[in-house]
Amino acid sequence: SGGVEPARGELNHASVSTKKAAHKGKIKALISRKNLIDSSVVLKIIKHYQEEGQGSEVVQGVLLGLVVEDRLEITNCFPFPQHTEDDADFDEVQYQMEMMRSLRHVNIDHLHVGWYQSTYYGSFVSRALLDSQFSYQHAIEESVVLIYDPIKTAQGSLSLKAYRLTPKLMEICKEKDFTPEGLKKASIGFENMFEEVPIIIKNSHLINALMWELEDKSTVADKHELLNLSSSNHLEKSLQLLMDRVDDMCQDIVKYNTYSRNLSKQQQQKHQYLQRRQQENTQRQSRGEPPLPEEDITKMFKPPQPPPRMDTLLIAGQINNYCQNVKEFTSQNLGKLFMAEALQGNN
Amino acid sequence: MSRFFATGSDSESEESSSADEIAPKAPGTTFKQSLLLSDDEEDTKRVVRSAKDKRFEELTNLIKTIRNAMKIRDMAKCLEEFEQLCRAFLKSKNIVDKEGVPPFYIRLLADLEDYLNQLWEDKEGKKKMNKNNAKALSTLRQKIRKYNRDYETEIAAYKENPQESADEEEEKEPGDSGSSSDSEGEEGEDGVSAKAFLKKKPDASADASKFLKTAKGSGDESSSSDDEDDDGDWGSDSVGSGSESSDDGDGQGASMAMVFLKKNQEPEKSDKKVLKKKKTKKKERLEEEAEEEGGEEVEGGWEKVKGGAPMVKEKPKMFAKGTEINVPVVVKKLNEILQARGKKGTDRAAQIELLHALANIANENNLGQGIMVKIKFNIIASLYDYNPNLAAFMKPDMWKKCLDCIDELLNILFENNNIFIGENIAEDSESLSNTDQPYRVRGCILTLVERMDEEFTKIMQNTDPHSQEYVDNLKDEGRVCGIIDRLLDYMETKGSTEEICRIYLRRIMHTYYKFDYKAHRRSLGLQGESKSEQDQEESEGEDSAVIMDRFCKFIYAKDRTDRIRTCAILCHIYHHALHSRWYQARDLMLMSHLQDNIQHADPPVQILYNRTMVQLGICAFRQGMIKDAHNALLDIQSSGRAKELLGQGLLMRNMQERNAEQEKIEKRRQVPFHMHINLELLECVYLVSAMLLEIPYMAAHEFDARRRMISKQFHHQLRVGERQPLLGPPESMREHVVAASKAMKMGDWRTCHSFIINEKMNSKVWDLFPETQRVREMLVRKIQEESLRTYLFTYSSVYDSISMQTLSEMFELEIPMVHSIISKMIINEELMASLDQPTQTVVMHRTEPTSLQNMALQLAEKLGSLVENNERVFDLKQGVYGGYFNRDQKGGYQQNKGGYQRGKSDQKGGYQQNKGGYQGGYQGGYQGGYQRGGYRNQNQNNY
């Protein structure tokens, strides 16, 4: 956790950022609406995870800030407290309101603009995230969710991403129509469920100046986390998670398969029935009898309950996410390995 | 009809009343009557009566009972008697047709109807009635109404003129008002009317009356043993039938009925006698109630009567004084006794006593062995019959008696070579008396002995196995075996092949499960301690193995029923297995192909099969063939119902699934305790076998996604062990095995050894084997070997190379042994290594896929199935192939998969190939420079 630790001591100043992170943020093209994040927010999130998150546990919190022109500036945040099952009567909303009121008292931005969440090996695409982001975006249009990946950060590159639901997904969620047909009509796939919003981490000039000064004085030895060659652990974990998701996917597909088979079978039955009925009616007509009354076809053939497809979509999105992670990681690692080989060769 | 009465005189009444009382009763008549009649001393004087006479007497008797029942308002009884009356009346239809409906009958019908109507009107009284009575009342009312429709005119006539005959009227008065104590008088008058009626009938011929007398005599003689008539009675059977035909006047039907009637009486005779004895000592008037109870007792439970002294007194009365006792007489008597067999009211204990008495008489009179054999047969048969219930078992005294009897019977049979017995000898072709010819007796000694054996099993099943009683009972096994042996000798000379097969099987059944310590000791080369003991040993006879062999082979050759052969084979295998003759046992099992069709056998044979398989498995284990042991025990143990499958107890949880009837059947199938196979031993053997197989396998396939469990039960035990919150030192056998497994997983054979073989396990399991020491040695050896394998599987990745010397020291195995184990592992491609001969080391090749690679393989597999599923969705949508993949692509994919699946099917080779390919690519890409790796790759790819 080299990238994080030096920041810790100076957290009181709450304005130190790693240079690299800031650099990375700037490179990104600012396509639509960009997020401007104060470095103090980043540090607070990191601190929150360091203190409370363990292993696959997830920490969450609220982002505060304001919209300026076409960009969203996130200037502050506070964590959701970890609460156990014991105090079930803990009111989260109450806590948030209380917190925001208190912040206003000290003249800090108190407008709710989204939330943040930590992640474990990039697994965050879940129903829970979708639901809460939907409610945020529904209530506060400009809300974003910040996903912080502590593991990647620990490996040397700060990983912080802002996501929003696409308007299409918002519409579907509003209608709560997760049937295969509904999703098809909306022509939504796992690729266009979330949109990533570019972020820029911004320091005040004073802080930048301080950083430069500190760097000279710093006694902390250079860390080589970046060049660590070991890869199997990370890959194994990712593969494990990937495999679990693939299993889920398999199950979903099987479910869908049975559904569509049942559906087509029923369609066939329905068709046969209608044909028979028609034949009978023509016969009756020829004999001069009144035709049989039309019965409610839908009652006779209740279509099977279509399996909700949203979960499948989410799983696909998650798998995509994992794959991206693995790809990114392996390509980096390959580069490192070649570098190492070259070094060895030279020696 | 009135004319009969009009002309009837009273002069005969005295005699007729007594005759009336002696009259034989219909099969269902209560004992009350039989008692009454024996009270009467005059009844000894009897008169000659015709068939009609008898019939009507029967009717009057019934009527009397009905009237009595009416008086005490016992509707149930009334109904019962009425039904009997109707039947009796129907029987005497012949006579009635001729004579007209007897007036007393009509009178009863009329009275009864009136009485019932009256009762019916009396709402209060009806309410007071108990349910049974009320029900009977309504039934009876309906019945009589229906019945009386046929006799309307007669009844009407009677009602119009009830005082037609004076004595009838007289009779009626006391009948209505009299108390139950009045029955004597009433009875008399009933008789009068009947008699009066009878009198008019033209008297039967002398012949006919004589016939009647004799026919009836056999029914009556027991109640009046000093009657002079009895002399002639004994031979009456044939005489009776002869005279019957002469009795043309009454028609054939009646005489037929007569014969029938006579036979019916006989069953009751013994009861009657017993009761009579009891009764004579009591006062006449008091008895009325007591008798009734007594009668009921006899019907309900036989025990009370059995305890009574009168039995002893009975004996002398078997035959009348001065009767010349000869064979036909005894046979007749025997038949008479036997006819009571199986009847409801028969006192079985008394019957046995009677038969014994008869045997004694026959013996005293030197009637010859033929008759003795016959009587013995019947005694034993009635001993078996003693318990009406199939589930109940013999009382100890009965059992002793039974054994004695069979012994005696066998004695007779052995002493007299000229007795032929057989179940197919017809009753009438028996020859019992003629000493010139060989005796011929009907009966099957084999069946009796088989039944005895079954009874023995039943006794053992029903005795608490942990009591002294069980031991005592078990001591009889020697006797049972002795009897079977004797019979076997007898049969070998006289019996047919089938019979010999059957008795052989019995003998086998008593032999197969016993361990032959004598032969065992001999085979070990241990001589008896002293000379005398040795002699004794030699004189004791041949080994059970030889006996089994001889008997079984005879059965294989001669038996024609499949069942006996199957049983014999199974017992033979069991015996082989018990004595550690593994190969014989296994070959016999395989050759017999019993495994294929045993499921069609009946449950007891299946139980025997299960026992045999278990014994076979245990035998394999003792011989160190762990895999065979495991396979043999797998079926029994994996179900978790070993106890039930072996017939050693019922499982509680099945209680709700079966009803009481099934439970009884299952109980009857249980194997007696002394034949049980120790279940803990069985489980321990199974678990230890599973451990020796499973632990190395688990170590070898730690990362294999397709790993299958060898033994589910073993895994279950492991999981149970893991779930323990606190792991103390092992207590039970299972815990020991689990602890040992854990140690073995680490390759720690010493700890494993100490868990498997220690004080506790010795006393629980290992000491139960006959060759304890050898088994333990084998076990230690196996533990060492398998621990070595496990160690190599688990830790090979840590080593670059390892010296065999070190391994040999670590596992205390000789170097050649280590060498052979490692070679085997290398050949089987379980271990990627090679042996370096000069330095005696194992060089690891490190070609096992890493966990990451394993994971990737798994993922690939999963993705494969995912794609497959996805395609199926497409197929459904498109109807045919198409969409995503065009045909060619799909083919290519399938091909790929085919190759992959081949890998799956032949586990090792294909899989390795696959892996080799993968590794080749991997290593080629990364460390192509490594010579060893490259070499290995080539090797593998070519493979």
Side-chain angles (χ1 to χ4, degrees):
Chain A
S1 55
V4 183
E5 274 194 5
R8 249 192 177 177
E10 292 136 343
L11 214 70
N12 298 345
H13 308 290
S15 55
V16 183
S17 155
T18 52
K19 204 170 56 190
K20 267 167 279 173
H23 188 63
K24 195 179 164 196
K26 263 173 200 156
I27 286 171
K28 286 216 169 156
L30 315 177
I31 306 159
S32 57
R33 159 177 274 163
K34 57 201 167 190
N35 284 348
L36 214 58
I37 300 178
D38 197 282
S39 49
S40 67
V41 175
V42 178
L43 289 173
K44 274 188 191 169
I45 293 172
I46 293 171
K47 185 182 173 227
H48 182 198
Y49 177 80
Q50 290 291 323
E51 280 172 359
E52 288 183 10
Q54 284 300 325
S56 57
E57 257 177 66
V58 159
V59 296
Q60 292 174 323
V62 174
L63 298 175
L64 300 169
L66 66 163
V67 181
V68 181
E69 288 164 9
D70 66 340
R71 58 177 196 270
L72 178 71
E73 291 185 359
I74 303 168
T75 54
N76 206 349
C77 69
F78 62 87
F80 286 142
Q82 297 277 20
H83 60 270
T84 50
E85 258 102 69
D86 301 340
D87 38 29
D89 53 344
F90 176 82
D91 189 352
E92 233 167 71
V93 178
Q94 184 67 33
Y95 172 80
Q96 282 181 37
M97 300 308 285
E98 199 70 32
M99 202 61 193
M100 280 191 276
R101 208 171 305 140
S102 310
L103 287 171
R104 195 165 65 172
H105 284 316
V106 292
N107 221 2
I108 292 173
D109 284 333
H110 61 273
L111 290 175
H112 211 154
V113 293
W115 57 299
Y116 69 86
Q117 189 196 312
S118 71
T119 173
Y120 179 69
Y121 285 104
S123 50
F124 61 86
V125 188
S126 66
R127 193 61 191 259
L129 181 114
L130 178 76
D131 287 347
S132 53
Q133 179 59 17
F134 169 71
S135 57
Y136 265 102
Q137 238 169 293
H138 194 60
I140 309 161
E141 208 265 314
E142 65 269 15
S143 302
V144 293
V145 54
L146 272 184
I147 304 293
Y148 163 66
D149 189 337
I151 291 159
K152 264 196 199 165
T153 308
Q155 277 167 352
S157 52
L158 176 68
S159 167
L160 198 64
K161 290 184 176 165
Y163 289 98
R164 281 169 59 77
L165 302 185
T166 55
K168 273 184 195 165
L169 192 60
M170 279 300 288
E171 236 158 74
I172 292 172
C173 288
K174 236 178 256 172
E175 282 160 23
K176 298 251 179 272
D177 179 15
F178 299 136
T179 57
E181 279 74 29
L183 292 180
K184 208 163 137 191
K185 213 167 68 193
S187 69
I188 194 153
F190 66 91
E191 308 95 337
N192 49 10
M193 288 167 74
F194 296 93
E195 55 179 353
E196 196 184 336
V197 188
I199 51 176
I200 299 168
I201 298 175
K202 179 108 177 129
N203 287 334
S204 72
H205 297 303
L206 281 174
I207 290 169
N208 280 338
L210 181 67
M211 285 297 294
W212 285 114
E213 202 183 325
L214 280 176
E215 199 167 29
D216 285 342
K217 289 181 190 169
S218 169
T219 52
V220 183
D222 282 344
K223 299 274 178 177
H224 297 295
E225 294 288 337
L226 252 183
L227 297 177
N228 193 349
L229 283 178
S230 81
S231 60
S232 60
N233 193 29
H234 189 266
L235 275 179
E236 261 175 45
K237 280 271 161 53
S238 297
L239 278 184
Q240 192 69 57
L241 290 164
L242 185 54
M243 249 190 287
D244 291 349
R245 287 288 87 74
V246 170
D247 277 346
D248 291 347
M249 186 70 137
C250 257
Q251 273 174 17
D252 266 17
I253 285 190
V254 170
K255 246 185 247 165
Y256 184 70
N257 216 344
T258 14
Y259 159 72
S260 41
R261 212 168 337 159
N262 286 345
L263 192 66
S264 72
K265 212 187 287 169
Q266 207 179 43
Q267 291 283 2
Q268 226 167 1
Q269 280 176 344
K270 201 154 125 185
H271 191 68
Q272 272 177 358
Y273 174 79
L274 281 176
Q275 245 175 358
R276 252 203 325 272
R277 177 52 66 93
Q278 213 170 12
Q279 262 177 2
E280 212 169 316
N281 270 351
T282 47
Q283 271 183 1
R284 276 169 157 264
Q285 249 172 0
S286 65
R287 280 182 304 205
E289 291 168 41
L292 289 169
E294 284 296 323
E295 282 162 46
D296 196 358
I297 288 287
T298 46
K299 249 184 209 164
M300 287 180 64
F301 297 101
K302 243 189 195 145
Q305 192 66 36
R309 296 294 288 162
M310 196 37 130
D311 290 335
T312 322
L313 265 189
L314 288 168
I315 292 168
Q318 184 63 65
I319 289 177
N320 186 38
N321 217 336
Y322 285 137
C323 288
Q324 296 295 341
N325 273 347
V326 172
K327 211 169 105 190
E328 209 174 288
F329 183 81
T330 46
S331 59
Q332 279 179 17
N333 256 32
L334 270 179
K336 281 189 258 181
L337 283 170
F338 278 122
M339 263 160 60
E341 199 188 18
L343 281 172
Q344 258 183 340
N346 283 350
N347 287 352
Chain B
M1 52 174 156
S2 55
R3 68 197 164 100
F4 296 125
F5 295 97
T7 47
S9 83
D10 289 339
S11 59
E12 292 263 340
S13 68
E14 179 67 43
E15 198 179 325
S16 65
S17 77
S18 63
D20 177 20
E21 282 160 49
I22 303 159
K25 306 163 305 294
T29 27
T30 50
F31 291 101
K32 200 165 160 184
Q33 260 121 23
S34 66
L35 297 169
L36 276 173
L37 74 101
S38 52
D39 290 353
D40 223 329
E41 287 307 310
E42 304 144 283
D43 69 353
T44 50
K45 279 181 203 119
R46 275 173 298 137
V47 285
V48 177
R49 281 161 304 174
S50 68
K52 189 184 85 177
D53 218 346
K54 223 175 127 190
R55 282 268 164 254
F56 283 2
E57 271 163 20
E58 189 186 329
L59 290 182
T60 43
N61 265 339
L62 282 168
I63 288 169
K64 193 179 68 196
T65 331
I66 291 176
R67 284 194 190 278
N68 280 343
M70 276 159 71
K71 266 176 232 153
I72 57 168
R73 289 190 165 205
D74 184 352
M75 281 303 117
K77 179 110 183 153
C78 244
L79 178 63
E80 194 182 309
E81 292 298 322
F82 178 71
E83 275 165 2
Q84 270 179 23
L85 181 67
C86 290
R87 251 176 277 143
F89 189 73
L90 218 66
K91 257 191 246 164
S92 47
K93 197 163 183 305
N94 251 331
I95 301 164
V96 172
D97 280 350
K98 234 166 70 184
E99 308 285 341
V101 183
F104 58 89
Y105 190 68
I106 295 299
R107 201 172 62 203
L108 175 93
L109 289 181
D111 286 352
L112 191 59
E113 194 176 10
D114 286 348
Y115 172 72
L116 286 175
N117 283 337
Q118 186 190 328
L119 268 187
W120 192 253
E121 297 302 312
D122 180 13
K123 299 271 187 233
E124 283 299 307
K126 232 167 73 183
K127 265 177 204 161
K128 275 182 213 155
M129 261 185 214
N130 66 31
K131 222 168 111 194
N132 242 351
N133 261 352
K135 212 169 128 196
L137 171 64
S138 58
T139 328
L140 184 56
R141 188 162 157 269
Q142 276 173 0
K143 262 200 178 147
I144 194 141
R145 214 189 265 165
K146 214 155 114 199
Y147 193 81
N148 281 5
R149 235 171 264 156
D150 299 339
Y151 302 98
E152 255 171 51
T153 46
E154 286 95 334
I155 292 171
Y158 161 71
K159 280 192 178 158
E160 252 169 44
N161 195 5
Q163 65 273 40
E164 185 142 85
S165 105
D167 37 6
E168 232 177 78
E169 195 60 53
E170 265 169 49
E171 193 270 346
K172 204 177 162 195
E173 286 298 82
D176 283 346
S177 59
S179 67
S180 57
S181 58
D182 245 10
S183 60
E184 191 79 3
E186 182 211 334
E187 181 188 329
E189 280 174 26
D190 246 331
V192 170
S193 57
K195 204 60 207 174
F197 171 63
L198 286 171
K199 243 182 72 185
K200 271 309 279 182
K201 184 204 82 158
D203 214 352
S205 68
D207 275 359
S209 54
K210 189 181 173 196
F211 144 66
L212 272 172
K213 188 197 78 180
T214 48
K216 216 176 315 183
S218 61
D220 290 344
E221 50 75 32
S222 58
S223 57
S224 55
S225 49
D226 49 348
D227 199 317
E228 65 218 291
D229 287 359
D230 280 343
D231 283 2
D233 276 347
W234 294 112
S236 71
D237 229 18
S238 55
V239 179
S241 59
S243 60
E244 243 167 340
S245 52
S246 68
D247 194 50
D248 296 326
D250 280 349
Q252 204 60 29
S255 54
M256 290 293 275
M258 283 290 299
V259 174
F260 178 59
L261 191 70
K262 191 199 95 192
K263 286 203 170 133
N264 270 351
Q265 287 159 221
E266 280 165 350
E268 287 169 22
K269 201 166 52 180
S270 54
D271 297 334
K272 266 194 273 174
K273 277 187 260 184
V274 175
L275 281 166
K276 187 187 80 183
K277 286 289 154 196
K278 264 189 162 178
K279 245 225 74 202
T280 40
K281 305 202 167 62
K282 293 178 185 166
K283 286 198 174 162
E284 300 258 342
R285 284 296 147 200
L286 271 176
E287 296 153 32
E288 204 71 52
E289 296 299 316
E291 280 155 23
E292 213 168 307
E293 278 168 34
E296 274 159 17
E297 268 169 31
V298 171
E299 270 193 331
W302 34 265
E303 276 159 320
K304 286 185 188 172
V305 179
K306 195 186 102 194
M311 315 270 278
V312 193
K313 281 187 177 179
E314 184 58 32
K315 271 178 207 160
K317 300 225 170 185
M318 184 79 77
F319 295 101
K321 271 179 224 156
T323 313
E324 191 205 337
I325 292 173
N326 52 23
V327 173
V329 169
V330 174
V331 169
K332 187 173 173 303
K333 182 76 192 165
L334 180 66
N335 282 337
E336 219 169 77
I337 296 168
L338 287 183
Q339 255 144 5
R341 223 178 123 181
K343 298 271 162 50
K344 205 180 165 199
T346 315
D347 177 357
R348 290 178 291 265
Q351 222 192 349
I352 294 165
E353 284 303 324
L354 277 175
L355 285 169
H356 270 296
L358 197 61
N360 286 341
I361 291 169
N363 207 14
E364 279 163 24
N365 292 285
N366 282 329
L367 289 183
Q369 298 301 344
I371 193 77
M372 276 309 285
V373 169
K374 190 165 175 61
I375 294 172
K376 287 280 183 214
F377 263 129
N378 286 312
I379 291 175
I380 297 163
S382 21
L383 278 169
Y384 292 147
D385 278 351
Y386 189 78
N387 276 325
N389 192 342
L390 201 55
F393 61 102
M394 274 188 164
K395 296 267 172 307
D397 52 335
M398 284 290 181
W399 170 243
K400 288 269 168 331
K401 221 186 270 178
C402 178
L403 284 180
D404 290 342
C405 260
I406 293 177
D407 256 341
E408 281 166 32
L409 183 57
L410 281 171
N411 282 340
I412 296 172
L413 289 178
F414 270 108
E415 281 160 20
N416 301 279
N417 234 347
N418 56 347
I419 300 176
F420 284 113
I421 51 173
E423 46 193 340
N424 38 16
I425 294 173
E427 197 86 44
D428 40 5
S429 71
E430 282 183 334
S431 86
L432 303 172
S433 50
N434 197 340
T435 39
D436 309 331
Q437 288 169 6
Y439 294 111
R440 289 168 64 82
V441 183
R442 178 188 166 82
C444 181
I445 177 87
L446 180 57
T447 317
L448 289 182
V449 171
E450 278 177 342
R451 180 75 198 265
M452 170 202 75
D453 195 29
E454 275 155 29
E455 288 292 342
F456 177 67
T457 313
K458 235 189 267 176
I459 290 173
M460 296 318 284
Q461 278 168 351
N462 285 292
T463 318
D464 173 17
H466 304 291
S467 62
Q468 183 59 36
E469 197 190 347
Y470 193 88
V471 180
D472 292 342
N473 284 342
L474 195 54
K475 281 177 189 158
D476 285 339
E477 222 239 337
R479 256 189 105 183
V480 171
C481 287
I483 288 173
I484 290 175
D485 266 340
R486 291 181 66 189
L487 183 63
L488 195 145
D489 289 342
Y490 182 74
M491 282 293 172
E492 272 175 346
T493 55
K494 298 219 168 160
S496 68
T497 329
E498 281 144 69
E499 283 172 324
I500 296 177
C501 283
R502 271 163 71 189
I503 192 69
Y504 275 3
L505 184 65
R506 285 287 150 188
R507 179 73 171 80
I508 288 169
M509 285 300 217
H510 276 280
T511 315
Y512 78 97
Y513 62 91
K514 292 174 188 153
F515 189 78
D516 192 347
Y517 279 96
K518 184 162 56 82
H520 177 61
R521 225 178 303 142
R522 210 179 297 155
S523 72
L524 286 182
L526 296 176
Q527 297 301 318
E529 292 290 297
S530 64
K531 188 103 173 130
S532 66
E533 203 177 321
Q534 199 179 338
D535 289 345
Q536 196 193 340
E537 256 177 27
E538 272 163 12
S539 66
E540 253 179 285
E542 47 192 350
D543 285 357
S544 62
V546 180
I547 296 172
M548 286 291 290
D549 209 48
R550 185 157 56 82
F551 290 167
C552 286
K553 281 186 177 149
F554 183 85
I555 290 176
Y556 301 155
K558 298 283 168 59
D559 175 58
R560 267 172 308 192
T561 67
D562 220 23
R563 192 178 185 277
I564 292 183
R565 188 172 41 228
T566 309
C567 288
I569 291 172
L570 288 172
C571 293
H572 203 178
I573 297 169
Y574 190 104
H575 194 261
H576 277 318
L578 192 65
H579 295 85
S580 298
R581 293 188 290 272
W582 157 250
Y583 288 106
Q584 281 112 302
R586 187 198 59 182
D587 292 347
L588 199 52
M589 179 57 100
L590 293 177
M591 278 192 302
S592 61
H593 290 288
L594 277 176
Q595 278 145 314
D596 305 332
N597 48 22
I598 193 70
Q599 66 269 22
H600 304 304
D602 49 1
V605 178
Q606 285 190 16
I607 286 174
L608 182 60
Y609 173 79
N610 289 339
R611 283 165 58 77
T612 307
M613 280 312 280
V614 164
Q615 199 55 249
L616 202 59
I618 293 173
C619 170
F621 182 79
R622 281 195 309 249
Q623 304 295 306
M625 321 218 184
I626 301 300
K627 200 157 185 148
D628 291 306
H630 180 267
N631 287 344
L633 299 181
L634 182 64
D635 282 345
I636 301 287
Q637 276 293 327
S638 62
S639 63
R641 297 185 303 153
K643 198 170 159 197
E644 204 183 345
L645 291 176
L646 292 176
Q648 301 189 354
L650 306 177
L651 287 185
M652 281 305 134
R653 69 182 159 86
N654 277 12
M655 278 309 186
Q656 59 267 44
E657 286 165 28
R658 57 169 177 248
N659 53 34
E661 194 53 41
Q662 275 170 316
E663 197 186 325
K664 259 186 217 155
I665 295 172
E666 274 174 41
K667 268 204 180 123
R668 234 175 289 149
R669 282 188 205 136
Q670 297 305 308
V671 175
F673 184 74
H674 59 280
M675 295 165 73
H676 279 197
I677 295 170
N678 189 320
L679 289 175
E680 191 166 28
L681 170 87
L682 165 64
E683 197 182 351
C684 180
V685 164
Y686 174 76
L687 284 179
V688 170
S689 317
M691 177 188 86
L692 290 174
L693 292 175
E694 185 86 75
I695 297 290
Y697 180 82
M698 275 164 75
H701 297 85
E702 204 182 343
F703 302 112
D704 193 348
R706 289 189 301 275
R707 192 178 78 194
R708 278 177 193 80
M709 294 184 233
I710 294 177
S711 158
K712 267 204 175 117
Q713 225 215 344
F714 177 70
H715 274 272
H716 176 70
Q717 292 303 338
L718 283 187
R719 272 199 301 277
V720 168
E722 272 163 23
R723 242 180 279 145
Q724 298 283 331
L726 185 69
L727 213 62
E731 288 288 334
S732 70
M733 178 274 293
R734 286 178 192 162
E735 283 168 6
H736 272 100
V737 176
V738 169
S741 305
K742 278 186 186 152
M744 194 187 219
K745 239 190 229 168
M746 314 298 290
D748 181 0
W749 77 271
R750 278 191 187 82
T751 320
C752 179
H753 172 213
S754 68
F755 277 131
I756 291 288
I757 297 171
N758 53 29
E759 283 291 298
K760 233 181 238 172
M761 291 289 274
N762 276 347
S763 65
K764 265 183 191 157
V765 180
W766 307 125
D767 286 347
L768 299 175
F769 285 132
E771 296 167 292
T772 312
Q773 204 43 46
R774 213 174 55 74
V775 171
R776 275 196 287 253
E777 277 158 19
M778 178 278 298
L779 209 50
V780 175
R781 181 84 181 182
K782 287 279 167 200
I783 288 172
Q784 286 168 338
E785 288 173 18
E786 295 304 326
S787 298
L788 169 63
R789 273 160 57 79
T790 313
Y791 184 82
L792 284 176
F793 282 133
T794 316
Y795 298 109
S796 66
S797 59
V798 182
Y799 290 98
D800 269 333
S801 63
I802 183 167
S803 143
M804 282 203 276
Q805 182 67 40
T806 322
L807 284 176
S808 146
E809 276 161 21
M810 270 173 77
F811 292 95
E812 290 183 14
L813 286 165
E814 312 86 57
I815 290 187
M817 194 65 214
V818 175
H819 186 271
S820 98
I821 289 173
I822 292 173
S823 304
K824 223 181 269 172
M825 285 168 80
I826 292 173
I827 290 169
N828 289 335
E829 302 211 16
E830 290 170 327
L831 186 68
M832 297 302 155
S834 52
L835 282 169
D836 191 43
Q837 198 58 48
T839 52
Q840 288 280 308
T841 47
V842 190
V843 181
M844 304 295 169
H845 285 168
R846 308 223 161 279
T847 50
E848 283 294 300
T850 63
S851 63
L852 180 63
Q853 288 161 353
N854 268 318
M855 202 89 85
L857 284 172
Q858 274 180 42
L859 181 64
E861 196 175 318
K862 281 187 175 160
L863 287 173
S865 69
L866 179 66
V867 171
E868 215 171 288
N869 279 326
N870 213 15
E871 269 174 50
R872 237 176 259 151
V873 176
F874 268 106
D875 284 352
L876 208 66
K877 277 227 171 97
Q878 309 295 333
V880 277
Y881 294 126
Y884 235 58
F885 299 104
N886 64 33
R887 207 163 280 260
D888 288 339
Q889 265 176 331
K890 190 161 170 137
Y893 173 73
Q894 293 284 10
Q895 238 169 13
N896 251 340
K897 211 169 55 180
Y900 181 69
Q901 242 144 22
R902 192 156 52 93
K904 224 190 261 183
S905 61
D906 44 38
Q907 287 273 1
K908 274 280 125 64
Y911 175 70
Q912 289 288 355
Q913 195 185 5
N914 225 344
K915 209 167 56 179
Y918 171 78
Q919 246 145 29
Y922 176 79
Q923 284 175 340
Y926 279 86
Q927 4 168 281
Y930 291 94
Q931 226 2 283
R932 206 172 59 194
Y935 167 73
R936 184 69 195 169
N937 280 340
Q938 237 174 10
N939 231 3
Q940 272 185 337
N941 286 336
N942 292 340
Y943 169 72

